[in-house]
Amino acid sequence: MKPPPFDYHGPATLGEALDVLAEAGPDGKVLAGGQSLIPLLNMRLAAPGHIVDVNRVPGLDKIEAGPAGVRVGALARHAAVERSPEAAAVLPLLRQALRLVAHPVIRNRGTVVGSLVHADPSAEMPAVLALLGGSVRLASRGGEREAPAAEFFTGPMESALRPGELAVSAFFPALPARSGTAFHEVARRHGDYAVAGVAAAVTLDDDLRVAAARVACVSVGPVPVVVDVTAACGTRPAASAGWEAAAAAVRDRVEPEGDIHATADYRRHLTGVLAARALRDAAAAAHGEEA
Amino acid sequence: MNETRHRVTLTVNGVVREAEVPGRRLLSDCLRHDLGLTGTHVGCEHGVCGACTVLLDGEPVRSCLTLAVTADGHEITTVEGLARGDGEPSPVQRAFTECHALQCGFCTPGFLCTVTAFLRDNPAPSEEEALEAVAGNLCRCTGYQNILKAVHRAAEIQSEEGGA
Ligand SMILES: Cc1cc2nc3c(=O)[nH]c(=O)nc-3n(C[C@H](O)[C@H](O)[C@H](O)COP(=O)(O)OP(=O)(O)OC[C@H]3O[C@@H](n4cnc5c(N)ncnc54)[C@H](O)[C@@H]3O)c2cc1C
Ligand code: FES
Ligand code: FES
């Protein structure tokens, strides 16, 4: 099918974009990569009166990586972030997760920030932002605010973005030294949305014991489900840690729903298996081993 | 309803083309209906099948998930533009013919565009990499075996011809 009619705006500056968005209010939608919005329009599941295409706004495609973390601009495509050696050096998890987002051709257009705003509970990047405790910077004609991940994802396909706001960038904080990450998921076909998926981050202390361990699960709740499993891991050397207790803690916490692809029980089981696997690989990476 | 129309200028296969389109015109429809280039096929219009894949400034994208107005001022290569200037089929096109990588041919334009860009970036792909490259395009007929053969054969032809 074809999109319903709308007024198209192609602002050339951020200020112009914010003016149009302010005027359009709840009837306005930002168009970034279009890889989620245009399917919704084509299926007539959305019919905004105004589309504000930000693809011509200069400066929004920046990827800034430093010791504190990685800031990704609203027009940084999945593929650009995936390929950025600087971003991967600070946070290998970005590349680990992006390789699981759709197919390469979709990643050429889709943006990381668009994926966060779209807030699909099956999507990888919201889980990464939630796991790392990152934030989204929201601009409007009234000014800017920084929304932490824990408050940004409010429900399935719902974020804290208010009418008139544009997400200008997202910040993914770096992890402490001796940390490792991994992202594992099961999809029916590589590139499809995950039936279940788990991102993990493990930090070791000076004696290589588990100092902190966290996971974020996708496709098992209305928003990314973050579980701190440090206590369940115990203060054990990471090399000999059995991750089963941690995996059980994750399994007990998630509340998946069943659908045509998988029953709730299967999703819960899968989440436990993937959590153990992701934690083990994250700990190995923290040791400096390639998972 | 009287929709506002926007003038767009696209460089398609090296030729500057103009069209006047409503904001909601998909790039796929602009190519097919406004510019008469029906080589680009349309299957699902959800981004799933890949039949509509074209090159936008050299990068493969779904033309059904791109607005024609967004592409204004950019370069597009469609399947019609893959052959050499003298009309000789490109290495990827020749490999698809040689390896019987098409049956009905509906998916073929999308595969040709995807594979052309893929081999430009990765001229000697592994089995695994070739598989991932074509996994985003759906083919109802071939079972993919011959398409994968064609990817490797095209890589061979390209290296024999010195990367041409
Ligand atoms: C076939 C297919 C498979 C896919 N598989 C996956 C997958 O496995 N995992 C996954 O995570 N994603 C998947 N996606 C979605 C893809 O990752 C999208 O790129 C992403 O969800 C949205 O990014 P976008 O830039 O395309 O946003 P758009 O489609 O442009 O916008 C999406 C929504 O976010 C809003 N928005 C976007 N940018 C901003 C901004 N800067 N400020 C305010 N609002 C904004 C829009 O108004 C809209 O509501 C898939 C898509 C397709 C077509
Ligand atoms: S028609 Fe564009 S992906 Fe199917
Ligand atoms: S050859 Fe028929 S769909 Fe691929």
Side-chain angles (χ1 to χ4, degrees):
Chain A
M1 282 204 292
K2 312 299 175 192
F6 50 75
D7 283 339
Y8 173 87
H9 308 269
T13 66
L14 181 60
E16 215 182 295
L18 296 180
D19 284 347
V20 184
L21 280 170
E23 210 143 296
D27 207 21
K29 274 268 175 211
V30 172
L31 171 71
Q35 304 301 289
S36 291
L37 181 58
I38 298 188
L40 288 177
L41 296 175
N42 286 356
M43 290 185 259
R44 302 280 173 122
L45 292 172
H50 298 268
I51 293 280
V52 185
D53 180 352
V54 294
N55 281 282
R56 283 179 205 84
V57 177
L60 287 184
D61 60 351
K62 283 209 195 83
I63 303 167
E64 293 163 315
V70 180
R71 184 168 287 281
V72 175
L75 279 183
R77 314 281 172 191
H78 293 312
V81 180
E82 181 191 352
R83 287 185 202 133
S84 161
E86 293 81 15
V90 177
L91 276 172
L93 180 59
L94 292 177
R95 187 175 281 172
Q96 290 161 354
L98 284 164
R99 291 195 45 75
L100 300 171
V101 175
H103 305 284
V105 176
I106 308 284
R107 299 204 288 272
N108 282 339
R109 280 312 282 173
T111 65
V112 168
V113 172
S115 176
L116 298 173
V117 174
H118 190 58
D120 188 321
S122 303
E124 288 82 3
M125 296 320 285
V128 170
L129 194 83
L131 180 76
L132 298 174
S135 56
V136 181
R137 184 174 293 170
L138 302 164
S140 67
R141 215 157 54 175
E144 278 191 354
R145 64 183 179 113
E146 194 86 27
E151 291 159 29
F152 188 69
F153 304 110
T154 53
M157 318 301 223
E158 275 172 16
S159 75
L161 181 98
R162 299 182 191 131
E165 280 184 327
L166 175 82
V168 285
S169 65
F171 183 67
F172 296 88
L175 288 160
R178 271 189 307 283
S179 294
T181 55
F183 203 132
H184 289 302
E185 69 178 37
V186 168
R188 292 176 69 233
R189 178 177 66 137
H190 183 87
D192 285 358
Y193 280 104
V195 174
V198 177
V202 173
T203 303
L204 306 180
D205 65 15
D206 291 341
D207 302 319
L208 301 181
R209 287 172 311 200
V210 177
R214 259 184 346 270
V215 301
C217 312
V218 307
S219 298
V220 290
V223 297
V225 182
V226 179
V227 190
D228 191 320
V229 292
T230 314
C233 289
T235 317
R236 267 176 311 189
S240 63
W243 299 102
E244 276 60 36
V250 177
R251 209 164 34 229
D252 291 345
R253 274 286 290 289
V254 298
E255 291 175 359
E257 284 182 22
D259 62 20
I260 182 173
H261 301 299
T263 61
D265 277 350
Y266 175 56
R267 276 210 165 87
R268 184 188 300 282
H269 168 75
L270 205 52
T271 303
V273 172
L274 291 169
R277 198 176 291 170
L279 284 163
R280 193 179 311 117
D281 286 351
H287 267 283
E289 298 162 22
E290 274 295 316
Chain B
M1 171 174 179
N2 262 335
E3 290 184 65
T4 310
R5 296 177 82 84
H6 306 262
R7 175 158 289 279
V8 298
T9 307
L10 306 172
T11 306
V12 187
N13 303 326
V15 180
V16 177
R17 305 286 305 266
E18 289 198 350
E20 233 180 64
V21 298
R24 62 177 166 142
R25 179 79 90 243
L26 303 173
L27 178 59
S28 42
D29 288 332
C30 177
L31 291 167
R32 290 177 56 85
H33 303 305
D34 298 304
L35 304 180
L37 293 165
T38 51
T40 299
H41 289 175
V42 171
C44 63
E45 288 184 339
H46 291 182
V48 175
C49 75
C52 68
T53 306
V54 301
L55 307 184
L56 173 66
D57 296 330
E59 293 302 322
V61 303
R62 302 289 200 237
S63 61
C64 75
L65 299 187
T66 309
L67 298 179
V69 267
T70 300
D72 181 32
H74 292 268
E75 282 189 30
I76 311 289
T77 305
T78 66
V79 67
E80 288 96 340
L82 295 181
R84 304 249 176 83
D86 56 7
E88 169 81 1
S90 73
V92 177
Q93 288 172 313
R94 269 183 280 156
F96 267 65
T97 317
E98 249 183 60
C99 301
H100 306 288
L102 62 150
Q103 288 182 29
C104 78
F106 187 80
C107 67
T108 310
F111 273 101
L112 292 176
C113 289
T114 307
V115 172
T116 299
F118 171 65
L119 290 180
R120 178 198 60 206
D121 297 342
N122 186 352
S126 67
E127 197 62 42
E128 183 92 28
E129 289 166 339
L131 186 64
E132 202 202 336
V134 299
N137 291 58
L138 296 182
C139 175
R140 290 276 186 205
C141 307
T142 67
Y144 297 91
Q145 296 309 316
N146 289 351
I147 293 176
L148 280 168
K149 268 188 219 152
V151 175
H152 293 294
R153 178 67 190 127
E156 233 172 70
I157 299 177
Q158 280 187 358
S159 79
E160 281 163 14
E161 296 187 352

